[in-house]
Amino acid sequence: MMTICVKIMALRFGRSARLLRNCAAFSTKLPIDSRHVTQKLVFSEFGDALKVVRQEEEPLPAPKPNEVVIKMLAAPVNPADINTIQGVYPIKPPLPAIPGNEGVGEIEAMGSEVVGLQKGDRVLPKGVAWGTWRSRAVCDANDLIKIPNQLGVVEAATLSVNPCTAYRMLKDFVKLQPGDTVIQNGANSACGQNVIQMCKAWGINSINIVRNRDNICELRGYLKDLGATYVFTEEEVRAIDLFKKAILPKPRLALNCVGGKNALEMMRHLDQRGTMVTYGGMSRQPVSIPTSSLIFKDIRVFGFWMTRWSTVHESSPERVDMLDDIVQMMVNGQLRPPAHKLVAFNNYKEALSNTLSSKGFTGMKYILDFQKD
Ligand code: NDP
């Protein structure tokens, strides 16, 4: 088994930079092409993404000694990006702003004092709301996380939000053991697909709830192929008798990104002292918790926000370990990227309008592809 380590974290760069600044072995200084320009998406006011986001071209400054030029390869359009542009997300970047919270780029050139990175290395932004929807960027080398080049572009571009969210929610709230059961709604979301695959890899049963649709058999098949133990539609959830018949233990953890009745039905199936973690509200319906569940079942209820976790743990060993684990699972084929469509950067409106749809049923993650015309 190939061992790949994300040994890279900018926290390590800081120290090595001082130690190795004048080391010839690391002085892969590359000529800076002053003609570099970037094509970027930008918004100057909050509002409807299709109306306020525009495309602009801008010359890039030459990188300072500690900076690099990155050529972006791919960046997904996530619901949170749309909410940020709408001004309804807790992160409100100063305007004008470049949208895009995650994505992968390749080092194209670097300043004279950058160490530990070379031309062609693949990198992710370390911080949140970095602005990935641009063809090129100049930034401080310490603001980047180097990842193994073996990772596929789509896996790398979608690494830092949904797989990390799934990982933390499965690790941080309940000490799950092989054989335990997790129940989740929005199971076909990018995050849900990661939950399914991590559960499978860790020997945990997953009960997966999706909305009914014409091609439900196809969706069930897709999720089962990822490793889902069971897939139910919202209408089928109440009648689940797997626990009464002792086919599976009752869930110890419920993951909710939908809210409303769907979340309530999930909570009914939780075991005594079970935990529900809410991380999204796709139905826009509130989560109501029956008083009896709190008192007689001692149900615990939490929220989770990856952005907060990443900010608090920006350069922490836990983050390094998490990324190492996720990269390893991707390289081993245990973690596939979500169903997706790559869209040429110039066709960004297609990606925005599909992610915007309040009806859902999009069926895939839209990813801006900077290499496609
Ligand atoms: P995707 O775009 O991959 O998936 C969206 C999911 O939402 C699909 O399962 C879709 O199901 C469902 N959905 C869409 N509209 C509705 C609706 N009106 N009612 C019920 N379900 C609906 O999303 P992500 O995986 O990127 O994100 C999923 C959720 O998780 C979002 O709410 C996002 O904000 C949240 N999230 C939160 C994070 C955190 O840190 N708290 C981090 C990552 C994601 P269908 O196919 O039936 O339309």
Side-chain angles (χ1 to χ4, degrees), residues 43-56:
F43 62 109
S44 302
E45 58 181 313
F46 296 110
D48 177 345
L50 282 174
K51 292 191 181 135
V52 299
V53 172
R54 60 186 190 278
Q55 189 171 357
E56 283 182 1

Side-chain angles (χ1 to χ4, degrees), residues 77-80 83 89 102 161-162 165-166 169 185-193 209-213 219 234 256-258 262 278-284 303-308 338-339 355 357-366:
V77 177
N78 289 320
N83 294 152
Y89 201 64
E102 66 172 345
V161 176
N162 286 307
T165 304
M169 292 194 302
N185 57 25
N188 60 327
S189 67
C191 195
Q193 292 177 49
I209 304 163
V210 295
R211 295 196 293 174
N212 204 359
R213 66 202 68 219
L219 180 59
E234 289 182 329
N256 167 41
C257 72
V258 173
N262 188 321
T278 291
Y279 68 103
M282 294 306 290
S283 71
R284 301 178 192 192
F304 179 73
W305 190 27
M306 192 66 218
T307 302
R308 183 188 300 112
T355 309
S357 157
S358 58
K359 288 201 216 103
F361 298 117
T362 306
M364 62 188 71
K365 177 75 64 195
Y366 279 74

Side-chain angles (χ1 to χ4, degrees), residues 287-300:
V287 180
S288 52
I289 304 154
T291 309
S292 58
S293 294
L294 292 172
I295 299 174
F296 302 118
K297 282 179 76 179
D298 198 7
I299 297 299
R300 285 113 211 270

